[in-house]
Amino acid sequence: MVSKIETFNLNSVYTDYTYTIRIFIPEYIEKVDHLPIYYILDGSSYFPFASQIINLQSLNAPKTKVSPAIVVSIEHGEDRRDRRFYDFTAPAKTYVYPERFQNRDVRKNGGAKKFTEFLMKELKPIVHQKFPSHGAEVIFGHSLGGYYALWLLLMNAAYFDRYIAFSPSIWWNQYELEKLALPFIKAKDFSPSPLFIAVGGKEGFMVEDSDKMYQLLQPSFQNNIAFYKAEDENHASVVPTAMSRAIRFISSF
């Protein structure tokens, strides 16, 4: 089972930042035409795992419904903790921070629009040039990355075909995502993109937050949305526990 990984650095004029990009290509198939493309946020943590999960499940596609796929990793450098906080949070006129942030230095935030410009105008054109006849495009994010995936869905759903949000930080800026969801589902031209939300059963208030978002969206999304609470899992362990399930759901469309 031979596969290929291409690696390069991409300097963004929109974010003024250099990202490491890795692309997993399943070379054991003759043609890469019409393969789905997964974009993995926080790729330094999740790209190896995600690419292998997709790869392994695609070997038994008649049962899993998972096809071979291109997997694109988007990675920050050594300043990852600070930089992802900026890239994955939306701009706002004012920010309301939870009590647990009191007496703490809050990292720079509000760069999500610039990060989206990077994705759509710099990264995607390179990926599309390599794979012009690609299939559905999927974005995966965890924690603040999960918040960003939901934010992007609510703001510009057409930018990706399918969305995966694990342990999304719905609490950010006094639950602004819940406010964005209301006009989104009431839009006349509403056409839901498949969405998978997962959270670990031991994630405290984030379990209720994720379930509430699911309940808010489900009547409009109907069968295009799934919610999974991984019992006995925490903020970190939910990712390996729920990834296979998420990939299978997203691949069913």
Side-chain angles (χ1 to χ4, degrees):
M1 186 168 59
V2 180
S3 298
K4 177 182 178 183
I5 295 178
E6 294 184 2
T7 303
F8 58 92
N9 292 328
L10 181 55
N11 182 56
S12 172
V13 299
Y14 294 100
T15 65
D16 190 28
Y17 190 82
T18 300
Y19 302 88
T20 297
I21 307 298
R22 288 190 284 170
I23 303 178
F24 173 90
I25 306 168
E27 286 195 331
Y28 57 88
I29 58 175
E30 293 183 0
K31 294 183 179 180
V32 295
D33 293 348
H34 309 299
L35 294 186
I37 302 176
Y38 289 79
Y39 294 82
I40 309 298
L41 303 180
D42 289 321
S44 56
S45 297
Y46 305 124
F47 169 72
F49 182 76
S51 58
Q52 288 305 309
I53 284 289
I54 296 168
N55 202 36
L56 287 171
Q57 293 204 90
S58 71
L59 297 178
N60 196 8
K63 289 186 177 181
T64 65
K65 309 302 181 186
V66 176
S67 66
I70 307 299
V71 185
V72 180
S73 175
I74 303 161
E75 305 176 14
H76 295 96
E78 293 183 358
D79 59 347
R80 180 179 71 87
R81 293 180 66 86
D82 290 330
R83 187 66 200 199
R84 69 187 294 274
F85 208 97
Y86 177 71
D87 281 347
F88 298 160
T89 53
K93 292 181 180 179
T94 59
Y95 291 97
V96 179
Y97 301 107
E99 290 185 6
R100 63 183 179 277
F101 275 50
Q102 300 302 319
N103 302 319
R104 288 172 51 185
D105 291 332
V106 178
R107 296 182 177 96
K108 184 179 179 182
N109 50 62
K113 284 189 176 179
K114 293 180 179 179
F115 183 71
T116 303
E117 296 273 25
F118 157 70
L119 289 180
M120 301 305 298
K121 297 181 179 180
E122 295 177 319
L123 177 58
K124 273 198 175 187
I126 292 174
V127 176
H128 292 172
Q129 186 176 30
K130 292 177 177 290
F131 312 104
S133 301
H134 61 83
E137 294 188 290
V138 185
I139 186 167
F140 164 86
H142 171 250
S143 195
L144 276 177
Y147 160 92
Y148 175 79
L150 288 177
W151 176 82
L152 190 62
L153 169 67
L154 298 175
M155 296 295 293
N156 300 284
Y159 281 2
F160 288 86
D161 302 299
R162 298 160 193 175
Y163 293 78
I164 302 174
F166 279 15
S167 307
S169 300
I170 296 170
W171 54 266
W172 173 251
N173 201 19
Q174 210 169 31
Y175 292 87
E176 65 180 5
L177 287 181
E178 294 179 359
K179 301 168 187 175
L180 289 175
L182 295 176
F184 173 78
I185 60 180
K186 292 179 180 179
K188 292 181 179 179
D189 59 346
F190 179 77
S191 180
S193 302
L195 167 64
F196 188 96
I197 301 173
V199 66
K202 292 187 175 181
E203 293 196 68
F205 68 90
M206 296 185 76
V207 177
E208 182 180 347
D209 290 351
S210 296
D211 182 56
K212 185 177 179 181
M213 178 61 71
Y214 167 73
Q215 297 296 338
L216 180 63
L217 297 177
Q218 197 281 326
S220 298
F221 277 69
Q222 297 185 8
N223 293 330
N224 279 33
I225 188 171
F227 171 69
Y228 177 57
K229 183 173 75 170
E231 298 291 354
D232 298 321
E233 305 301 337
N234 56 45
H235 194 64
S237 65
V238 65
V239 179
T241 301
M243 182 70 80
S244 292
R245 186 182 295 260
I247 299 300
R248 291 196 304 274
F249 174 78
I250 289 297
S251 299
S252 68
F253 294 88

